[in-house]
Amino acid sequence: MKARVTVTLKPGVLDPQGAAIAQALGGLGFTGVQGVRQGKLIEIDLAEGDAATARAEVEAMCEKLLANTVIETYAVEIA
Amino acid sequence: MKAAVVVFPGANCDRDLAVALRAAGFDVAMHWWKDAGLPQGLDVVGLPGGFSFGDYLRCGAIAARAPAMDGVRAHAARGGLVLGICNGFQALIEAGLLPGALMRNAGLRFVCRTVGLETAGRSPFTHGVPPTLRLPVAHHDGCFVADDETLARLKGEGRVAFRYAPGENPNGSMDDIAGVLSENRRVLGLMPHPERAADPALGPADGAALFAALAGAGAGAPA
């Protein structure tokens, strides 16, 4: 199975990189940009064949390493 | 007095830290990150600055899960002294040994200069350290953040060890925080580099006072 983990900063946590991207987009003429938040995408190939077990395993990975839950949240997609 | 410096791949201040600790009177062992068990009878464990594991994922995140950190946790749990500098501070936070988080500098730039600091908290690391000093910083991810409750606790318990002097905050850290202490005040993480300013032959040596404080604490510590 494949897992896609999206890690993003929690709402309210200052994201200077997102702010810089928003400013750059404005500079390129994209005037409608009201906010940008930058995150990261992690793709994982898993030997596990059962979706529920795979999800539990990837959520454990997120808690232990992939996300810093002090400042970040994560979402897991299994396919 | 015995100290160990944990060496991670990508660390680049490990030898500077060892030199500063030796100059203060410590026997220093360099400890490889893959070895879980630290040497016996240590007074101090140092986590050096650098770019452990290439800063991949998050700064200090992979170092914080290295086998040697089991030994560091056990040392801290026994009340041993732990000093994490720059990337070592990031690793201590990622390991959960210190609160909060260290994020990308507010100005987005890598900052490399000498900054003014104020010694704020009482601890084995700051005993005898002057109220103001100047130390180099060199980091891209040193913006200390914490939720309101954690910040209030740190301030209320006097666990902010160092603050950037007014107007000299290089990274946007909340409350100008440059270094924080654990609850028992025996684990210190700080972004500035005292080991890079510890030898008068190489310029200002304000950082030497911190290692002298550690030596005093180590000498008085139970074996």
Side-chain angles (χ1 to χ4, degrees):
Chain A
M1 311 215 73
K2 287 188 186 298
R4 287 162 68 89
V5 178
T6 310
V7 180
T8 47
L9 289 171
K10 285 181 178 172
V13 174
L14 182 70
D15 178 9
Q17 294 175 104
I21 293 166
Q23 197 176 352
L25 288 172
L28 289 169
F30 295 100
T31 52
V33 177
Q34 294 184 317
V36 175
R37 304 285 284 172
Q38 182 182 304
K40 58 187 81 148
L41 173 67
I42 300 164
E43 293 182 329
I44 305 169
D45 287 326
L46 294 161
E48 178 60 49
D50 177 67
T53 310
R55 173 174 294 279
E57 192 178 11
V58 173
E59 284 176 355
M61 293 177 194
C62 290
E63 290 290 333
K64 281 195 174 165
L65 176 66
L66 300 179
N68 176 353
T69 54
V70 174
I71 48 170
E72 293 171 332
T73 55
Y74 59 86
V76 177
E77 286 173 63
I78 301 286
Chain B
M1 295 176 299
K2 286 176 70 175
V5 173
V6 182
V7 183
F8 300 103
N12 62 12
C13 298
D14 44 329
R15 282 170 292 171
D16 309 55
L17 181 54
V19 167
L21 285 165
R22 283 193 188 109
F26 286 92
D27 287 327
V28 182
M30 305 307 276
H31 185 83
W32 189 234
W33 66 282
K34 281 188 178 175
D35 300 333
L38 292 173
Q40 295 292 307
L42 289 177
D43 300 295
V44 176
V45 176
L47 302 186
F51 301 87
S52 59
F53 301 92
D55 277 350
Y56 294 163
L57 192 62
R58 297 177 306 276
C59 300
I62 298 177
R65 280 88 179 164
M69 290 303 288
D70 293 343
V72 176
R73 272 198 199 83
H75 174 77
R78 282 194 300 270
L81 293 162
V82 182
L83 170 64
I85 299 169
C86 199
N87 191 220
F89 182 16
Q90 293 164 338
L92 286 174
I93 283 192
E94 281 281 346
L97 288 168
L98 290 172
L102 288 160
M103 299 187 62
R104 181 53 47 100
N105 292 345
L108 293 176
R109 289 176 188 275
F110 189 97
V111 178
C112 183
R113 61 168 183 261
T114 298
V115 299
L117 294 167
E118 294 175 347
T119 308
R122 291 167 62 88
S123 71
F125 305 89
T126 51
H127 185 72
V129 174
T132 63
L133 65 165
R134 295 189 67 78
L135 291 178
V137 291
H139 60 253
H140 208 164
D141 297 79
C143 177
F144 183 84
V145 299
D147 58 44
D148 293 342
E149 190 189 331
T150 305
L151 205 58
R153 269 193 69 191
L154 287 175
K155 288 200 269 189
E157 295 171 7
R159 287 167 54 194
V160 178
F162 294 99
R163 279 196 176 83
Y164 300 109
E168 295 209 46
N169 183 338
N171 52 34
S173 284
M174 287 178 169
D175 200 38
D176 296 329
I177 288 172
V180 295
L181 295 159
S182 61
E183 210 167 338
N184 70 358
R185 319 175 90 76
R186 297 185 67 82
V187 179
L188 167 69
L190 77 169
M191 288 313 294
H193 285 274
E195 83 287 8
R196 291 192 189 178
D199 184 341
L202 300 174
D206 290 10
L210 197 142
F211 295 101
L214 265 185

